[in-house]
Amino acid sequence: MESMALALILGWCLVAAGREQHLPRPSLSLLPSQGVSVGDTVTLQCHLPQLAARVMLYQNRCWRTEKENEKRQTTVEFSFLYTKWTDMGVYWCQYQVLDPPKTSEQSNPVELVATDHMYPPPGISLSPEEHVEMGTNVTIQCWNQGYHGTFFLHKDGAIAHHAKTNGRSWTEWEGGNLGGIYRGCIRHL
């Protein structure tokens, strides 16, 4: 009889734990979403699916700041009035409610990348230079003027490839399926 009562209590606890609801995930957006330069004003907006007491912002897996949601808004903004190199990175937000006390899941990640015009733009070249047929192997080479960092090759507006320079001031990509419009950029260390 005792074992049956214990089994009923354990079963009830498992059902109750299974019914525990998780807070809906917030979403994070970046304004402007592209074309940011060092020195620009940037705003990260954490969109809340429900009202929250506190909203936390994280950068590169570390707590960055938080805001009390005193105005009871569904969008909480974190602004950088003058974007610096140290502001660049991957961000996400979370929120907390008080009754009952819970913390939401992490939002989608958003990456803040900014251009610094004190560095000259990288060079980009294609080999072979003439018109090529579909499937032909081509080499795309990017270089800069002695700065070390990570090269990003953008295809049709999105990052298609990236490579760390490991002390070099150039890198290259080779392949037979590289069709599209490409642009090179570098993130300096």
Side-chain angles (χ1 to χ4, degrees):
M1 189 67 156
E2 288 179 26
S3 62
M4 187 168 198
L6 181 61
L8 283 172
I9 291 171
L10 283 174
W12 180 82
C13 289
L14 289 172
V15 168
R19 288 185 184 160
E20 182 180 327
Q21 295 181 349
H22 296 282
L23 294 175
R25 180 178 167 155
S27 64
L28 186 64
S29 60
L30 178 65
L31 295 174
S33 61
Q34 56 186 336
V36 176
S37 295
V38 171
D40 288 354
T41 297
V42 174
T43 301
L44 290 155
Q45 293 181 325
C46 187
H47 306 278
L48 308 173
Q50 67 183 59
L51 292 178
R54 175 179 297 125
V55 180
M56 293 84 60
L57 183 69
Y58 295 83
Q59 177 190 13
N60 300 329
R61 298 186 191 147
C62 297
W63 176 88
R64 169 83 187 237
T65 189
E66 63 186 49
K67 285 189 174 183
E68 300 294 325
N69 192 9
E70 295 168 354
K71 295 181 182 177
R72 309 295 287 166
Q73 299 170 330
T74 56
T75 299
V76 175
E77 294 186 343
F78 299 90
S79 293
F80 305 124
L81 298 179
Y82 186 87
T83 303
K84 303 178 294 287
W85 277 103
T86 55
D87 295 325
M88 288 186 249
V90 176
Y91 289 86
W92 52 271
C93 65
Q94 275 183 302
Y95 65 94
Q96 292 178 335
V97 296
L98 297 178
D99 190 23
K102 288 185 183 178
T103 301
S104 73
E105 294 181 38
Q106 300 172 359
S107 71
N108 57 297
V110 172
E111 185 172 15
L112 172 58
V113 177
T115 301
D116 192 338
H117 296 290
M118 75 178 242
Y119 296 105
I124 186 168
S125 68
L126 182 66
S127 176
E129 292 180 18
E130 66 274 357
H131 179 74
V132 294
E133 298 296 321
M134 289 296 286
T136 303
N137 276 353
V138 294
T139 300
I140 298 174
Q141 186 177 48
C142 290
W143 66 91
N144 64 30
Q145 298 179 5
Y147 297 103
H148 303 279
T150 301
F151 283 95
F152 292 90
L153 186 63
H154 296 259
K155 176 182 180 182
D156 301 323
I159 295 175
H161 303 281
H162 71 280
K164 294 189 181 205
T165 61
N166 296 326
R168 300 184 322 254
S169 60
W170 61 273
T171 193
E172 62 185 29
W173 295 274
E174 188 174 325
N177 190 16
L178 295 174
I181 298 171
Y182 286 88
R183 178 178 66 85
C185 71
I186 185 169
R187 180 181 301 163
H188 297 285
L189 299 176

